[in-house]
């Protein structure tokens, strides 16, 4: 069975600080995708990144970076120089390759508050 | 390009009533998913359509929930009769090539 754990329920940091959101996953599959989604106060889930299980290179997109470590089954998300607009709930998710890699298992989310 | 659209954004109904949620996927996306998030818990899969066919409905809680996708376009999710535990945010997603796009969700409150 698949499982995604986001142990941090809520995090608050002062603006301009760096913050890392943790994600640990469990799966017996060798091929899968990992995702991060952002849910701002408006409610929609905004796609941030998709990572293939065979690609362990870290990725950086502006102030966002992702650290995928297969050895520890973790896919952590770091925001550098945080801004108030980063305040949101962030979800980590894992795909199920038995369903075309499009059926997702989500974590419980981490609520991030950036204090101005 | 329009994203995934869900109606209504909020719905408050009494226990025992019926509610129908609607989802308009991104044009051209054959895959459509429904998910639900109960307060404070994870977002859980409900079901998956490929065009108008139900591919996987293993996440549907019980037979009070009925999903349809007429002509492979928009989808509806009907809850009848609604119970208190059905309260939550219902998300719809459409996808192509293992990349899912979500709507803003419908917040359902059953009182």
């Amino acid at each position: 069975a698949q499982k995604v754990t986001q142990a941090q329920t809520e995090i608050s940091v002062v603006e301009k600080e760096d913050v890392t959101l943790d994600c640990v996953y469990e799966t017996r599959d060798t091929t899968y995708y990992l995702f991060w989604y952002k849910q701002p106060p408006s409610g929609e889930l905004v796609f941030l990144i998709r990572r293939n299980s065979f690609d362990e290179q870290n990725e950086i997109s502006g102030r966002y970076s992702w650290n995928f470590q297969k050895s520890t089954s973790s896919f952590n998300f770091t925001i550098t120089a945080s801004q108030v607009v980063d305040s949101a709930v962030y979800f980590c998710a894992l795909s199920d390759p038995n369903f075309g890699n499009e059926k997702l298992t989500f974590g419980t989310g981490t609520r991030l508050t950036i204090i101005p | 390009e329009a994203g995934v659209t869900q109606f209504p954004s909020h719905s408050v109904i009494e226990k025992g009533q019926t509610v129908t949620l609607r989802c308009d996927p991104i044009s051209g996306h054959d895959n459509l998913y429904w998910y639900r998030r109960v307060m404070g818990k994870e977002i859980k899969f409900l079901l998956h359509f490929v065009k108008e066919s139900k591919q996987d409905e293993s996440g549907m809680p019980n037979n009070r929930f009925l999903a349809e996708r007429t002509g492979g376009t928009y989808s509806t999710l009907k809850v009848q009769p609604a119970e208190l535990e059905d309260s939550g945010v219902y998300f719809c997603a459409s996808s192509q090539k293992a990349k899912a796009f979500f709507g803003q969700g419908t917040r359902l409150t059953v009182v």
Side-chain angles (χ1 to χ4, degrees), chain A residues 33 35 37 39 42-45 47 50 89 91 99-109 111, chain B residues 31 33 35 37 40-43 45 48 56 58 91 95-105:
Chain A
Y33 287 98
F35 301 77
Y37 284 87
Q39 185 184 31
S42 52
E44 76 275 20
L45 286 170
F47 171 89
R50 181 188 70 189
V89 181
F91 292 94
F99 294 90
N101 271 317
E102 297 188 343
K103 177 181 176 181
L104 302 180
T105 297
F106 284 86
T108 50
R111 180 176 298 277
Chain B
N31 292 285
Y33 295 79
Y35 290 83
R37 186 184 190 210
K41 303 214 170 177
E42 68 271 28
I43 299 170
F45 167 84
H48 169 209
D56 178 2
S58 61
F91 290 100
S95 68
Q96 198 170 53
K97 298 180 182 178
K99 186 174 176 181
F101 297 88
F102 284 78
Q104 83 281 11

Side-chain angles (χ1 to χ4, degrees), chain A residues 20-38:
Chain A
T20 295
L21 310 183
D22 297 332
C23 173
V24 175
Y25 63 93
E26 296 175 29
T27 181
R28 293 180 181 175
D29 300 305
T30 56
T31 303
Y32 49 88
Y33 287 98
L34 291 160
F35 301 77
W36 275 95
Y37 284 87
K38 174 183 179 179

Side-chain angles (χ1 to χ4, degrees), chain B:
Chain B
E1 178 184 340
V4 177
T5 309
Q6 293 185 244
F7 304 96
S9 56
H10 293 85
S11 179
V12 181
I13 62 171
E14 292 184 352
K15 176 181 172 181
Q17 288 186 323
T18 298
V19 63
T20 300
L21 314 181
R22 172 170 169 148
C23 169
D24 287 80
I26 293 173
S27 178
H29 282 192
D30 290 339
N31 292 285
L32 187 149
Y33 295 79
W34 284 97
Y35 290 83
R36 175 175 75 171
R37 186 184 190 210
V38 173
M39 179 69 74
K41 303 214 170 177
E42 68 271 28
I43 299 170
K44 280 196 171 179
F45 167 84
L46 294 179
L47 86 157
H48 169 209
F49 283 100
V50 176
K51 297 185 179 179
E52 68 274 8
S53 299
K54 291 177 186 174
Q55 190 76 9
D56 178 2
E57 50 184 332
S58 61
M60 294 287 263
N62 50 61
N63 58 11
R64 296 185 293 103
F65 289 76
L66 175 64
E68 295 179 324
R69 190 179 182 193
T70 308
T73 55
Y74 70 90
S75 174
T76 58
L77 179 64
K78 180 190 287 188
V79 185
Q80 178 182 29
E83 297 290 344
L84 298 179
E85 63 264 26
D86 301 332
S87 296
V89 180
Y90 290 76
F91 290 100
C92 174
S94 69
S95 68
Q96 198 170 53
K97 298 180 182 178
K99 186 174 176 181
F101 297 88
F102 284 78
Q104 83 281 11
T106 294
R107 182 175 295 278
L108 174 65
T109 303
V110 183
V111 297

Side-chain angles (χ1 to χ4, degrees), chain A residues 6-64:
Chain A
Q6 294 180 256
Q8 303 151 310
T9 306
E10 296 190 27
I11 300 176
S12 295
V13 299
V14 176
E15 194 173 19
K16 297 183 183 176
E17 287 186 350
D18 299 346
V19 59
T20 295
L21 310 183
D22 297 332
C23 173
V24 175
Y25 63 93
E26 296 175 29
T27 181
R28 293 180 181 175
D29 300 305
T30 56
T31 303
Y32 49 88
Y33 287 98
L34 291 160
F35 301 77
W36 275 95
Y37 284 87
K38 174 183 179 179
Q39 185 184 31
S42 52
E44 76 275 20
L45 286 170
V46 178
F47 171 89
L48 295 179
I49 189 172
R50 181 188 70 189
R51 172 63 69 204
N52 185 302
S53 56
F54 291 108
D55 182 1
E56 289 193 66
Q57 283 191 339
N58 291 333
E59 181 155 340
I60 297 174
S61 177
R63 296 183 297 106
Y64 295 172

